């Protein structure tokens, strides 16, 4: 079974700072199959990044994705107030088909 | 812009079947994989399964024995049926479009509570 592990579980930063969120997969994954989402409490997730590094429509360029193999990263270059939320990575393929990480909560320090 | 909307009972009794429908507007569901995803309160997202109008389906092995999905292209709707529910099935249920290998459009979600 393919497992995605995100770390840290919680990240406390201030507006204007840089955030680096990690996602490790238990098996090597084709980069095309990795995506990142933002979820504000009470709302549905929003697609930020697909194909490991391509921003979705309307996503600001302060969000960027990178990585390959088993290690993937979401970077937010300069945090704005609306960026404080929970972030999930997701992979497609293997067993059980589609998997999400457990999430990283980004808190205001 | 494609829009998805879940509908169905918000309360289901334990051991019964949970049934939800997703209505899609501004795009034909014939062209992509229609998915169900759930999120128990305070917990991460869990993929339930997908269905395509070509008959292709797949679901999470942990739920496969209890999941049935259907699709009605004439109404642009797809449905989820989850049998023998327990309190562990209490969650917000989302329908979502899989475009390529990621979910680009989501419904707002509907909370389903399983009561004893």
């Amino acid at each position: 079974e393919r497992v995605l592990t995100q770390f840290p579980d919680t990240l406390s930063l201030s507006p204007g700072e840089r955030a680096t969120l990690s996602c490790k997969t238990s098996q090597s994954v084709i980069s095309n199959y990795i995506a990142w989402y933002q979820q504000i409490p009470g709302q549905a997730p929003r697609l930020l990044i697909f194909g490991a590094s391509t921003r979705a429509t309307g996503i600001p360029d302060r969000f960027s994705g990178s990585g390959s193999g088993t290690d993937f990263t979401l970077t937010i270059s300069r945090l704005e107030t609306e960026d404080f939320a929970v972030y999930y990575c997701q992979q497609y393929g293997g067993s059980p088909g589609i998997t999400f990480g457990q999430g990283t909560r980004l808190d205001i320090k | 812009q494609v829009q998805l909307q879940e509908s169905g009972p918000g309360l289901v009794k334990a051991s019964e079947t949970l049934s939800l429908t997703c209505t899609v507007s501004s795009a034909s569901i014939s062209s992509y994989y229609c998915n169900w995803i759930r999120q128990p309160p305070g917990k991460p997202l869990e993929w339930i399964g997908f269905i395509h109008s070509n008959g292709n389906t797949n679901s999470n092995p942990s739920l496969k024995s209890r999941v049935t999905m259907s699709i009605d292209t004439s109404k642009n709707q797809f449905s989820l049926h989850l049998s023998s529910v327990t309190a562990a099935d209490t969650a917000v249920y989302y329908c979502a479009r899989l475009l390529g290998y990621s979910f680009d459009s989501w419904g707002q979600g509907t909370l389903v509570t399983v009561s004893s």
Side-chain angles (χ1 to χ4, degrees), chain A residues 1-3 91 93-99, chain B residues 47 58-62:
Chain A
E1 179 180 332
R2 189 166 286 167
V3 177
Q91 69 85 30
S95 177
I98 297 175
T99 311
Chain B
W47 175 71
N58 192 15
S59 54
N60 193 319
S62 68

Side-chain angles (χ1 to χ4, degrees), chain B:
Chain B
Q1 180 177 346
V2 62
Q3 293 183 320
L4 300 91
Q5 178 69 59
E6 305 87 355
S7 59
L11 189 64
V12 180
K13 292 183 179 179
S15 80
E16 297 189 342
T17 297
L18 177 161
S19 295
L20 296 173
T21 296
C22 182
T23 301
V24 181
S25 56
S26 303
S28 170
I29 63 172
S30 299
S31 307
Y32 56 87
Y33 284 87
C34 303
N35 289 256
W36 291 98
I37 295 158
R38 71 180 183 177
Q39 186 172 36
K43 293 189 176 180
L45 301 161
E46 179 183 31
W47 175 71
I48 298 171
F50 65 58
I51 185 168
H52 195 282
S53 60
N54 63 11
N56 191 15
T57 64
N58 192 15
S59 54
N60 193 319
S62 68
L63 298 169
K64 188 181 284 285
S65 64
R66 300 193 290 128
V67 167
T68 303
M69 291 174 287
S70 60
I71 191 165
D72 186 339
T73 55
S74 68
K75 294 182 179 180
N76 228 34
Q77 293 177 333
F78 59 101
S79 297
L80 168 71
H81 303 281
L82 181 65
S83 64
S84 305
V85 298
T86 68
D89 296 309
T90 293
V92 175
Y93 285 76
Y94 296 99
C95 56
R97 179 175 79 165
L98 186 70
L99 193 65
Y101 308 109
S102 57
F103 301 105
D104 75 319
S105 299
W106 296 67
Q108 65 184 24
T110 186
L111 174 63
V112 179
T113 302
V114 177
S115 67
S116 55

